[in-house]
Amino acid sequence: MKGSRTIHKCIFLIGFLCVQGVWSQTVFGKWKTIDDRNGVAKAIIEIYKEDGLMHARVVKILEEGKQDALCTKCDGELKDKPVLGMKIMDDFEDNGRGEYKGDRLFDPEQGMTFRGKVWLDDENNNRLKVRGYLAFLHRTQTWHRVIEE
């Protein structure tokens, strides 16, 4: 009888840890961006929640020689501002299916704003799919979760 309780406790604990692992995988956290055209690591982006909406900002520039980059192609108040610290996603909403959608996905390198969609890769929760839309065209990048110890 005592051995049976121990087995049940172990099964419960394993089940609980598995569920915790699934729940803990979210879009929120830090992500390394990789240029999908040349494979160069570009930046670390922090995705965070504020007022129930998803936002993102550049927290580190990885590309050699661009650590002090300014947004030279930007217009208005962002013109010639540092890319480091810049907010690149604003007010993305959870659609209830594990995707976040919004109207401001900003690319400081191009100085352009796109509609966007963000979701975890179905095959690997440590990869994030980030898709930008311009009219009927779209482009998707894969970002990689930064595991901090």
Side-chain angles (χ1 to χ4, degrees), residues 48-121:
Y48 59 98
K49 188 180 258 188
E50 187 176 283
D51 298 326
L53 300 172
M54 188 195 86
H55 304 269
R57 68 176 156 247
V58 179
V59 294
K60 185 175 185 179
I61 297 176
L62 301 173
E63 191 172 6
E64 195 62 41
K66 299 215 176 167
Q67 288 81 4
D68 297 319
L70 301 178
C71 196
T72 57
K73 293 185 180 179
C74 294
D75 292 325
E77 65 185 36
L78 294 178
K79 179 76 174 156
D80 296 325
K81 296 290 187 221
V83 173
L84 184 62
M86 190 170 282
K87 203 168 190 183
I88 62 166
M89 287 185 216
D90 274 322
D91 299 335
F92 276 50
E93 293 185 65
D94 184 351
N95 69 4
R97 295 186 309 272
E99 299 173 339
Y100 288 80
K101 293 182 176 184
D103 291 332
R104 186 172 183 276
L105 172 58
F106 185 68
D107 179 352
E109 207 166 46
Q110 308 258 337
M112 295 178 66
T113 301
F114 304 90
R115 286 181 300 112
K117 180 167 101 170
V118 173
W119 70 97
L120 290 175
D121 186 318

